């Protein structure tokens, strides 16, 4: 089941990124490139600050009783930025899609350096063996399911705009279908585990929720302009990369039974918290 979910995540992300790229305006991306201060701040916070918040949470007394799989899942989601679905979420939540795309590409490229560095920091802090994450592994994952499909779609849009226009609608429908199937699988897999965790491992759920809320707050605070920018930055910072986390769990997490399931629980908590929190923030601001 876990391998099926991981495969479906990769296929879904590729289709989603390609479909979104077909509908992106290159001129809008270029406008943000001419004013890069906000995207740079968001990338740095997503790649560096959120992992440090996760590290701090894992040193709280509340975390001491949490089993290793849940602790490791939180650490992996903390260090893995640039969730591809954040770009689509920005589109459906009233966010700025070109801004989300630019931040996502920047965070994906930054992750090649920051994920191994953050993994080293966590390893040394908690005296762990293994988990010697290699930059090439990160580059292959983020390139395959994020950067390459997005750049291919942008290139096709510039080279043959009429073809891109015709392809966008069917690919967008396919992406929606795959996302619905993925959401159903995550709900079936992580839903019972979330209920069980609430009953038996409440500390793990609380820590995951705290990291999600802290990430949303960090992202929201980075933009003081239009609400669409604040929505975008909050989503991009808070929505981590489960595909990359699952890859690292497969590579280095042997012996940690329930690690991949705990990663899916984190994804479910993020989805459950992000929308109502952002809706409330919009009403207050």
């Amino acid at each position: 089941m876990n391998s099926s979910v991981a495969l479906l995540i990769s296929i879904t992300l590729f289709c989603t990124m390609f479909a979104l790229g077909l509908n992106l305006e290159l001129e809008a991306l270029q406008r943000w490139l001419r004013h890069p201060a906000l995207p740079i701040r968001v990338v740095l916070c997503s790649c560096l600050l959120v992992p440090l918040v996760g590290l701090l949470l894992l040193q709280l007394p509340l975390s001491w009783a949490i089993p290793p799989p849940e602790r490791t899942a939180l650490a992996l989601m903390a260090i893995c930025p640039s969730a591809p679905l954040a770009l689509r979420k920005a589109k459906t939540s009233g966010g700025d899609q070109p801004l989300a795309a630019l931040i996502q590409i920047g965070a994906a490229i930054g992750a090649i350096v920051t994920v191994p560095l953050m993994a080293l920091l966590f390893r040394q802090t908690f005296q762990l063996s293994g988990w010697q994450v290699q930059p090439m592994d990160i580059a292959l994952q983020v390139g395959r399911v994020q950067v390459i499909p997005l750049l291919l779609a942008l290139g096709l849009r510039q080279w043959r705009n009429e073809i891109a226009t015709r392809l966008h609608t069917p690919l967008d429908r396919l992406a929606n279908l795959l996302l619905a199937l993925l959401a159903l699988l995550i709900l079936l897999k992580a839903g019972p585990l979330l209920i069980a965790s609430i009953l038996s491992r409440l500390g793990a759920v609380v820590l995951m929720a705290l990291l999600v809320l802290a990430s949303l707050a960090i992202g929201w605070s980075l933009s003081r302009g239009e609400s669409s920018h604040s929505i975008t930055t909050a989503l991009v910072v808070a929505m981590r990369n489960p595909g990359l986390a699952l890859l690292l769990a497969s590579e280095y997490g042997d012996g940690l039974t329930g690690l991949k399931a705990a990663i899916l629980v984190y994804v479910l908590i993020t989805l459950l918290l992000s929308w109502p929190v952002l809706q409330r923030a919009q009403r207050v601001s």
Side-chain angles (χ1 to χ4, degrees):
M1 181 69 169
N2 286 327
S3 59
S4 300
V5 173
L7 177 61
L8 181 59
I9 286 176
S10 295
I11 296 172
T12 302
L13 296 184
F14 187 97
C15 291
T16 299
M17 295 300 293
F18 195 86
L20 289 170
L22 291 175
N23 199 40
L24 275 177
E25 294 288 344
L26 192 58
E27 294 78 9
L29 286 174
Q30 291 171 341
R31 284 198 298 272
W32 278 111
L33 284 172
R34 290 192 291 269
H35 301 89
L38 177 59
I40 290 174
R41 289 201 305 271
V42 177
V43 168
L44 290 175
C45 286
S46 184
C47 291
L48 298 174
L49 184 55
V50 171
L52 292 177
V53 173
L55 182 64
L56 178 63
L57 289 174
L58 287 173
Q59 295 186 79
L60 295 176
L62 175 64
S63 74
W64 298 345
I66 295 175
E70 283 77 10
R71 288 175 58 87
T72 305
L74 188 145
L76 286 175
M77 292 300 279
I79 70 173
C80 293
S82 182
L85 294 184
L87 182 55
R88 191 173 195 88
K89 190 76 172 174
K91 176 184 177 182
T92 59
S93 303
D96 188 310
Q97 198 175 0
L99 174 61
L102 187 59
I103 294 171
Q104 192 167 318
I105 293 173
I109 295 171
I112 298 170
V113 176
T114 63
V115 171
L117 285 177
M118 291 295 108
L120 174 62
L121 177 60
F122 275 70
R123 190 169 73 244
Q124 292 183 341
T125 300
F126 298 108
Q127 302 296 308
L128 301 174
S129 59
W131 293 94
Q132 296 175 344
V133 179
Q134 301 300 314
M136 184 55 68
D137 294 335
I138 310 301
L140 289 174
Q141 198 277 343
V142 299
R144 184 174 62 248
V145 301
Q146 294 186 65
V147 179
I148 290 176
L150 187 59
L151 293 181
L152 284 175
L154 286 171
L156 180 60
R157 182 176 175 84
Q158 289 300 113
W159 179 53
R160 288 288 189 270
N161 185 55
E162 66 282 0
I163 297 177
T165 302
R166 288 200 301 269
L167 286 176
H168 175 256
T169 298
L171 279 177
D172 194 56
R173 289 173 179 168
L174 175 61
N176 285 333
L177 178 62
L178 291 172
L179 283 170
L181 179 59
L182 178 60
L184 178 62
L185 280 177
I186 290 177
L187 186 61
L188 290 175
K189 182 69 176 178
L193 291 169
L194 178 60
I195 295 173
S197 296
I198 291 174
L199 297 175
S200 62
R201 296 174 180 175
L202 182 60
V205 174
V206 170
L207 277 188
M208 289 180 180
L210 285 175
L211 183 55
V212 172
L213 292 173
S215 302
L216 286 167
I218 290 169
W220 185 272
S221 67
L222 290 171
S223 175
R224 302 184 182 276
E226 300 178 18
S227 65
S228 64
H229 298 166
S230 298
I231 291 171
T232 302
T233 55
L235 285 173
V236 172
V237 173
M239 296 186 72
R240 315 306 286 169
N241 190 334
L244 181 54
L246 288 170
L247 172 67
L248 296 178
S250 298
E251 294 264 342
Y252 305 103
D254 290 341
L256 289 173
T257 304
L259 172 57
K260 293 180 180 179
I263 290 171
L264 297 181
V265 169
Y266 188 100
V267 174
L268 185 56
I269 291 172
T270 303
L271 295 175
L272 290 174
L273 288 179
S274 59
W275 178 245
V277 168
L278 288 178
Q279 286 293 296
R280 173 65 178 169
Q282 280 184 284
R283 287 195 293 269
V284 171
S285 61

